[in-house]
Amino acid sequence: MSISGKSRIYGLLGDPVAHSLSPLMHNVAFNQRNIDAVYVPFHVSPGELSAAVDGLRALNVAGVNVTIPHKEAILPFLNEVDSAARLIGAVNTVVNDDGRLVGYNTDSSGFLRSICHELNFQPDDKCVVLLGAGGACRAAVVALAGAGVGQIVIVNRSLERAEKLVQSFSPRFPNVDFLAYDYSDKDYLSALSHADLIVNTTSVGLHGEEISFLPLEHIKGSALIYDMIYSATETPFIKSVQTAGWLCADGLGMLAAQGEDAFFLWTGVRLPAGYMKKILVQR
Ligand code: NDP
């Protein structure tokens, strides 16, 4: 599709952006769906974020994704932030509604759609162990707690960070039983043994490292395992749990699903689950 004076412009604000797969996902989808729009990466350094957000209004950019390091920093520059994104404290999608910039978090909704679609996870009253306590973990907590899981165990290298998350989320989700451990706590092993879903939300594995803090011998055979990290050839962690027989998936599906949710917010077109993952797998 060629760009005309009527084409709508979408994009990505981040630093760096050169590696991003989002332009591919969105441009292929715009093309396949005959939507007159284009998606471009904008390299924005932290000191330029405020000017870049003003630029979105000035240039009538219809919407953007937001990635590292701006997901939290962008909140004060927006006109409105949806309630889930505010709870998570991070925005990864912005819709420009006639100059009013509204922030959403589709990492959270995309994570939930990915585990339900790829692992057939059914949240009701389930016990979930989340490894890590950063921004990705917060997005997972809000998705899982909102979907009705019974227990969320947050396990982190720095216990204090996990405890802080539990303190902030417990009052918001009174029906969920929250626990916080570090990896040396023996109660962590007991939580692992009855977990229905275990999620790596840490950054470990991003550069091909093994996950040393998840003893597989404690995990029940029926547990589902998800790694938010993704790579072109599956992460070492996913390879090892798959070989050992657990049902598992890596974070490529989450990347794709957050893109599908952003696409819906921007265009009103609901792509079927797995649509953008197919684009990524075929790249
Ligand atoms: P943060 O920097 O906010 O948090 C990183 C987490 O990893 C912390 O809990 C940190 O523990 C833990 N960690 C880092 N190094 C180690 C280590 N050596 N041993 C144990 N724990 C460690 O990052 P985010 O939460 O924003 O992102 C985490 C990962 O999630 C990213 O690598 C990103 O690629 C992935 N992600 C994937 C998405 C997708 O679409 N698939 C979307 C969003 C994120 P501590 O607190 O102790 O430092």
Side-chain angles (χ1 to χ4, degrees):
M1 173 164 301
S2 60
I3 298 173
S4 73
K6 292 185 195 151
S7 302
R8 291 170 74 77
I9 299 169
Y10 297 91
L12 171 67
L13 307 185
D15 179 10
V17 288
H19 67 290
S20 173
L21 296 171
S22 293
L24 170 74
M25 292 195 300
H26 288 285
N27 286 320
V28 170
F30 287 144
N31 219 8
Q32 289 178 345
R33 292 290 162 142
N34 282 319
I35 295 171
D36 184 7
V38 63
Y39 185 106
V40 285
F42 297 113
H43 184 185
V44 176
S45 55
E48 298 295 336
L49 182 61
S50 164
V53 174
D54 285 343
L56 300 178
R57 294 188 185 95
L59 298 173
N60 199 22
V61 172
V64 286
N65 284 135
V66 184
T67 189
I68 290 169
H70 304 312
K71 287 185 186 184
E72 295 171 17
I74 198 167
L75 266 78
F77 302 123
L78 301 175
N79 299 96
E80 193 181 327
V81 175
D82 118 299
S83 57
R86 191 163 290 289
L87 200 50
I88 295 162
V91 158
N92 81 321
T93 300
V94 176
V95 176
N96 185 350
D97 182 10
D98 257 339
R100 274 186 67 73
L101 300 182
V102 186
Y104 297 88
N105 191 306
T106 69
D107 283 335
S108 183
S109 57
F111 164 69
L112 187 66
R113 287 196 331 115
S114 176
I115 54 173
C116 294
H117 177 64
E118 300 191 71
L119 300 177
N120 195 24
F121 177 68
Q122 288 162 10
D124 288 349
D125 290 328
K126 294 291 185 335
C127 167
V128 183
V129 169
L130 300 175
L131 309 177
C137 176
R138 292 202 309 272
V141 168
V142 170
L144 292 163
V149 302
Q151 186 176 61
I152 296 179
V153 183
I154 302 175
V155 191
N156 196 43
R157 182 174 58 178
S158 347
L159 177 61
E160 199 190 339
R161 207 170 170 195
E163 286 175 337
K164 267 194 184 148
L165 287 199
V166 167
Q167 276 161 20
S168 72
F169 284 122
S170 293
R172 304 280 187 156
F173 298 103
N175 296 333
V176 181
D177 176 27
F178 283 97
L179 294 165
Y181 301 125
D182 64 25
Y183 298 115
S184 65
D185 196 318
K186 64 176 174 20
D187 289 335
Y188 162 45
L189 301 181
S190 146
L192 271 187
S193 66
H194 64 263
D196 300 300
L197 171 70
I198 297 161
V199 184
N200 176 36
T201 83
T202 75
S203 46
V204 179
L206 201 53
H207 307 291
E209 322 88 292
E210 299 286 345
I211 296 183
S212 58
F213 42 83
L214 180 61
L216 298 183
E217 66 275 17
H218 290 273
I219 304 174
K220 66 184 181 187
S222 60
L224 305 171
I225 301 182
Y226 195 85
D227 188 359
M228 283 199 186
I229 305 287
Y230 56 86
S231 78
T233 54
E234 285 185 337
T235 62
F237 170 55
I238 285 300
K239 269 187 198 149
S240 63
V241 293
Q242 200 164 36
T243 308
W246 280 282
L247 188 55
C248 57
D250 75 7
L252 196 67
M254 175 177 173
L255 174 73
Q258 64 75 29
E260 289 160 7
D261 287 353
F263 194 90
F264 176 67
L265 288 169
W266 293 332
T267 65
V269 175
R270 170 49 78 196
L271 300 169
Y275 188 99
M276 284 193 169
K277 184 163 179 186
K278 210 177 275 173
I279 296 172
L280 294 177
V281 169
Q282 288 168 353
R283 74 187 183 274

